[in-house]
Amino acid sequence: MKFTLSWLKDHLETSISVDELVSGLTDLGLEVESIDDPVKKLGHFVVGEIIQADQHPEADRLKVCKVATGNTLQQIICGAPNARTGIKVVVAQPGDYIPGLDTIIKVGKIRGVESQGMMCSERELMLSDEHDGIIEVAKDAEIGSSAAEALGLTDPIIDIAITPNRGDCLGIYGIARDLAAAGVGK
C-alpha cells in the first residue's frame, strides 16, 4: 500500500521524520518496501527563467537561451518547441545527474555554440512520459529556488507490504491508529 507522509498526517498528529516513521512502521510489523522522496531525487535542480531565446545560428530547431538561475546567467542550447523568453523552467546545472537519461550534465558545445546546462522535460526527470517540451514552472516561483518545491514535489511516498494478518492496515486510518497506539502521535 502506498501513501504520502502528508496524507498520514491528515489522520495522525505527529512531527516525526520519515526515518522515525519507517522505524515505527517496522516495529508494528509492517514491512516498508520503499520510500520515494522526490526532494532527494530532484533536490539539485533549480528554477530558472529564460531571459532571452534566439535562433541557433547553425540549426533550425535549436534555440540559444540565456537563463537566469539565481546568481548566474547561463547560456543553454534547447530544442524544445516551448522554449521562449519569459517562462520559468527546471534547470540542470553542470554536474547534475539526469535520471531519465542516465547521464551527468557537462558544459559542451552543440553545433559550435557552448551550452552550460539543460532545461528539463518531465520524462528526463522521470515524473511522467511527457517529452513534448520543457517543464514550465509557475510564474511566481523564485528564480534559483528548488525545482522540487516549485513543482509541489516535497511529499515522500511510503510503500508498505501488507501481510494477510494485517487487514486493519489496508487503509491510511488503520495505519494512523496503530502508530498512535504505539505512541508515535495522536
Side-chain angles (χ1 to χ4, degrees), residues 9-135:
K9 288 184 176 183
D10 285 346
H11 301 279
L12 180 70
E13 289 181 33
T14 186
S15 60
I16 62 170
S17 68
V18 174
D19 293 334
E20 292 170 320
L21 174 62
V22 168
S23 177
L25 290 168
T26 303
D27 290 346
L28 292 173
L30 298 171
E31 179 187 351
V32 177
E33 291 187 328
S34 67
I35 301 168
D36 183 19
D37 191 351
V39 172
K40 288 182 182 176
K41 189 168 52 174
L42 305 174
H44 54 281
F45 297 101
V46 296
V47 174
E49 181 175 9
I50 301 177
I51 304 299
Q52 182 180 346
D54 298 320
Q55 187 64 42
H56 191 290
E58 300 294 323
D60 293 339
R61 294 185 180 176
L62 296 177
K63 293 181 183 165
V64 179
C65 300
K66 302 286 184 197
V67 182
T69 57
N71 297 334
T72 62
L73 188 65
Q74 294 174 280
Q75 178 173 283
I76 299 176
I77 309 301
C78 184
N82 64 331
R84 63 189 183 283
T85 302
I87 64 169
K88 292 190 177 174
V89 295
V90 176
V91 178
Q93 315 260 355
D96 287 350
Y97 175 73
I98 308 295
L101 299 176
D102 192 28
T103 191
I104 295 175
I105 293 298
K106 299 176 185 165
V107 174
K109 287 192 176 187
I110 299 175
R111 298 233 179 151
V113 179
E114 186 175 274
S115 183
Q116 303 164 340
M118 177 180 175
M119 294 179 281
C120 302
S121 71
E122 289 182 14
R123 184 168 72 187
E124 291 158 346
L125 298 183
M126 296 182 74
L127 299 175
S128 77
D129 290 333
E130 181 66 39
H131 194 62
D132 291 337
I134 53 179
I135 299 170

Side-chain angles (χ1 to χ4, degrees), residues 3 8 12 16 21 24-25 28 174-185:
F3 60 93
L8 177 66
L12 180 70
I16 62 170
L21 174 62
L25 290 168
L28 292 173
I175 295 168
R177 187 187 63 229
D178 272 10
L179 286 167
V184 175

Side-chain angles (χ1 to χ4, degrees), residues 137-156:
V137 180
K139 293 182 183 205
D140 61 345
E142 185 178 333
I143 296 172
S145 66
S146 166
E149 289 180 17
L151 294 171
L153 299 172
T154 58
D155 204 5

